[in-house]
Amino acid sequence: MKKLSLFKQISSISVVVAILSGCAATQGTNTSSNSTSMNKTQSGALIGGILGAVIGASTSGGGAKRAVIGGAIGAAVGGGIGYSMDQQAKEVAQELNTNVNNNPNAALDPNSDLIVSNTDKYVKIMLRDSMVFETNSAIPTATAARKISKISDVLRKYPNTIVQVVGFTDNRGSYEYNQQLSNQRAANVGNTIYNSGIQNQIFSKGCSYNKPIAPNNTAQNMGLNRRVEIYLYANQQSIIDACVE
């Protein structure tokens, strides 16, 4: 009897996985260069469903039934997180009069001074220093402050989203000097968001000239590396070390 019960549990998990996989596959493939074949909402639902099924089946009593229920709950939770990140990325991009661009080479375009992208863990808004600050200044310009306030307008709808602001420089000058400058720029952008009156948790940090986008061997490449990145996270488990990852 125990073997039969275990077989039923495994079969139920297989059914849930097959259903979720089929649902994701039937959503259609997006051929855009800025999208993947399975979007973050679909992959979040699939992963959540599998985990939910496993947890449900391992619970004592009514294993098969619990596997199906667990799968449904897991799919709802996983899909909800994916949907939230997708939706926040779209809303931020709309407020900033741009589109979500997940092309990994987008940051190498010197004509793009503002890029919104997202993964299943976070939304990232990249702002070029040349657009945000005057030369040798760490204070956002009035134009930049207005753009940053538009991000705050979206965050008011998502008070549980965690905000991390990260500053980067080129490699001119000492590491310590650039660390201080990147800290100041990140903190000032973070304060601009905070002072808008949102309820979100906000953190800022400087990365000096760590994690360059391009080699610091030309003026154009140095301009690419000088930037502020704003990360929006669904939860603390999603937070990365932006100076490294």
Side-chain angles (χ1 to χ4, degrees):
M1 294 298 292
K2 289 184 178 180
K3 290 183 178 179
L4 179 60
S5 175
L6 179 60
F7 174 77
K8 287 182 178 180
Q9 292 178 11
I10 295 173
S11 298
S12 298
I13 295 172
S14 300
V15 169
V16 171
V17 173
I19 291 172
L20 291 168
S21 299
C23 289
T26 56
Q27 292 296 322
T29 301
N30 191 329
T31 57
S32 169
S33 61
N34 296 335
S35 303
T36 56
S37 58
M38 181 185 293
N39 67 28
K40 308 304 181 301
T41 303
Q42 294 163 1
S43 61
L46 179 58
I47 294 170
I50 293 171
L51 292 175
V54 172
I55 294 170
S58 64
T59 307
S60 60
K65 183 177 180 181
R66 289 176 185 271
V68 175
I69 295 173
I73 294 173
V77 172
I81 293 174
Y83 172 79
S84 176
M85 290 293 97
D86 282 344
Q87 186 63 24
Q88 287 183 60
K90 291 176 183 176
E91 291 185 27
V92 168
Q94 183 176 10
E95 286 288 336
L96 295 174
N97 296 316
T98 187
N99 297 310
V100 177
N101 189 347
N102 289 324
N103 186 331
N105 294 320
L108 295 174
D109 182 0
N111 297 315
S112 298
D113 58 7
L114 188 159
I115 300 171
V116 179
S117 60
N118 73 299
T119 70
D120 55 346
K121 286 187 175 182
Y122 55 78
V123 176
K124 182 171 76 173
I125 306 107
M126 191 208 73
L127 307 171
R128 303 276 190 214
D129 273 10
S130 58
M131 187 270 286
V132 183
F133 308 104
E134 298 287 354
T135 303
N136 297 323
S137 173
I139 306 300
T141 64
T143 299
R146 286 192 293 270
K147 288 183 180 292
I148 296 168
S149 71
K150 291 181 179 295
I151 300 173
S152 301
D153 291 341
V154 175
L155 289 171
R156 287 189 181 89
K157 303 178 186 178
Y158 304 95
N160 294 323
T161 292
I162 300 170
V163 183
Q164 182 186 42
V165 185
V166 188
F168 299 88
T169 67
D170 60 41
N171 68 348
R172 291 177 298 178
S174 68
Y175 185 90
E176 291 73 19
Y177 168 80
N178 284 293
Q179 182 65 55
Q180 182 180 6
L181 178 61
S182 60
N183 273 330
Q184 289 176 340
R185 288 182 166 177
N188 287 338
V189 170
N191 286 334
T192 300
I193 297 173
Y194 175 78
N195 291 333
S196 67
I198 63 171
Q199 302 301 312
N200 307 68
Q201 296 183 63
I202 303 176
F203 305 91
S204 66
K205 66 183 298 185
C207 297
S208 189
Y209 46 72
N210 293 323
K211 207 178 78 171
I213 292 174
N216 284 292
N217 54 7
T218 66
Q220 178 173 291
N221 283 352
M222 288 181 180
L224 295 177
N225 293 328
R226 296 191 300 271
R227 67 200 189 274
V228 171
E229 296 176 351
I230 302 171
Y231 291 80
L232 310 181
Y233 300 104
N235 49 51
Q236 290 189 358
Q237 290 71 33
S238 299
I239 296 175
I240 65 170
D241 183 353
C243 295
V244 178
E245 298 182 50

